[in-house]
């Protein structure tokens, strides 16, 4: 039996591969406007604080390879080949689609390495992929909107929380709270009936229930520097409120992200940790999913669910 060949477009935000790429990367994020020397220096300093550069580029490549391997292991009718498509740096999303077509692939599944759907995130990635597929022709892409409720994804975080809580004494557990965080987005998404905030809350609830967590909350982090209001409460403000409520240990689960990168290694592990130290409370953060097998299984199931849906819709 001849296996079907299918492309796997793994899309992510992207990050510089070397210090030489930081300015062009930042310029792309700013839609072609070069950052001021002060802004550029601030970003470079943040990278230096976490070891020189973000590990995101390496981890994203590893996740794409691991996902293709897991898919090819889980079933025997399709051979998947992974291609990267990044939002702000090469290979761009459009490059990924072109590379699939140049590999003589005519069908593909696209998945964004972000669990939750938003018009500002998942939809924008998938729209770019679909537009490029239409432009070059003779390739069809089946786009996954979200996978925030995949059982293996929930299980990954529940397992990590159980491991983390095993380091907290019985006496301290009633004063321990979990903060489920995600990247903030402009508040106007609420007027657009964007499901992003509800999906974050749903993920938090599912993980807390599976892990048996009593005290938890959601908060937003890494808001952009624009005049318009962004979703709140901000995680740093929420930390101070929770401390005032009597919590002495805070466990951070950045469930809107899937790997070690700047927003986790700096915004959480440095900035939030500093506030924890100022308040005299314990800061804990379970490991990020990266290429953990349970997490990759969740991604693979999301892809296979999309394939099954495609077959049902024929």
């Amino acid at each position: 039996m001849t296996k079907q060949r299918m492309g796997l477009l793994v899309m992510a935000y992207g990050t510089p591969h070397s210090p030489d790429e930081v300015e062009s990367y930042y310029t792309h994020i700013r839609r072609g406007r070069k950052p001021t020397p002060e802004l550029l220096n601030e970003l470079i300093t943040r990278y230096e604080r976490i070891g020189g550069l973000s590990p995101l580029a390496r981890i994203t490549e590893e996740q794409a390879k691991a996902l293709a391997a897991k898919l090819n292991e889980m079933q025997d009718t399709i051979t998947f080949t992974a291609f990267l498509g990044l939002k702000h740096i090469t290979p761009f999303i459009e490059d990924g689609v072109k590379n699939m077509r140049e590999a003589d692939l005519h069908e593909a599944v696209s998945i964004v390495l972000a669990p939750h759907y938003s018009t500002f995130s998942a939809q924008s990635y998938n729209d770019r992929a679909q537009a490029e597929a239409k432009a070059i022709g003779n390739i069809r892409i089946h786009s996954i909107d979200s996978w925030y409720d995949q059982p293996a994804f929930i299980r990954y975080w529940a397992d990590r929380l159980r491991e983390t809580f095993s380091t907290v004494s019985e006496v301290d557990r009633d004063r321990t709270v979990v903060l489920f965080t995600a990247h903030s987005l402009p508040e106007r998404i609420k007027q657009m009936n964007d499901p992003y905030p509800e999906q974050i809350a749903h993920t938090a609830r599912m993980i807390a229930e599976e892990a048996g967590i009593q005290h938890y909350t959601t908060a937003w982090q890494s808001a952009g520097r624009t005049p318009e209001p962004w979703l709140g409460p901000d995680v740093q403000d929420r930390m101070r409120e929770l401390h005032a409520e009597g919590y002495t240990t805070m466990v951070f689960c950045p469930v809107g992200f899937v790997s070690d990168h700047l927003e986790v290694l700096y915004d959480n592990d440095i900035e939030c940790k500093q506030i924890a130290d100022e308040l005299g409370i314990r800061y804990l953060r379970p490991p990020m999913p990266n290429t953990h097998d349970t997490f990759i299984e969740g991604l693979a199931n999301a892809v296979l669910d999309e394939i099954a849906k495609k077959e049902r819709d024929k």
Side-chain angles (χ1 to χ4, degrees), residues 42-76:
E42 181 183 349
L43 179 58
I44 290 171
T45 300
R46 287 180 171 227
Y47 283 135
E48 289 172 347
R49 292 285 304 276
I50 64 169
L53 275 178
S54 169
L56 181 63
R58 171 184 56 80
I59 294 170
T60 300
E61 290 181 11
E62 291 173 352
Q63 288 173 323
K65 290 176 184 176
L67 176 55
K70 175 62 76 173
L71 282 164
N72 292 332
E73 171 193 311
M74 289 173 69
Q75 51 75 49
D76 58 6

Side-chain angles (χ1 to χ4, degrees), residues 7-11 82-86 91-110 125-143:
L8 177 67
L9 182 63
V10 180
M11 297 183 288
F83 297 81
L84 281 183
L86 305 177
F92 290 105
I93 293 168
E94 294 76 10
D95 297 328
V97 178
K98 286 177 183 149
N99 290 338
M100 289 193 297
R101 187 63 196 86
E102 287 171 4
D104 199 29
L105 291 165
H106 302 276
E107 194 167 12
V109 175
S110 69
Y125 286 77
N126 283 322
D127 284 352
R128 281 175 60 177
Q130 294 290 351
E132 185 62 25
K134 184 177 180 180
I136 64 177
N138 203 20
I139 183 168
R140 184 182 180 194
I141 299 177
H142 309 279
S143 296

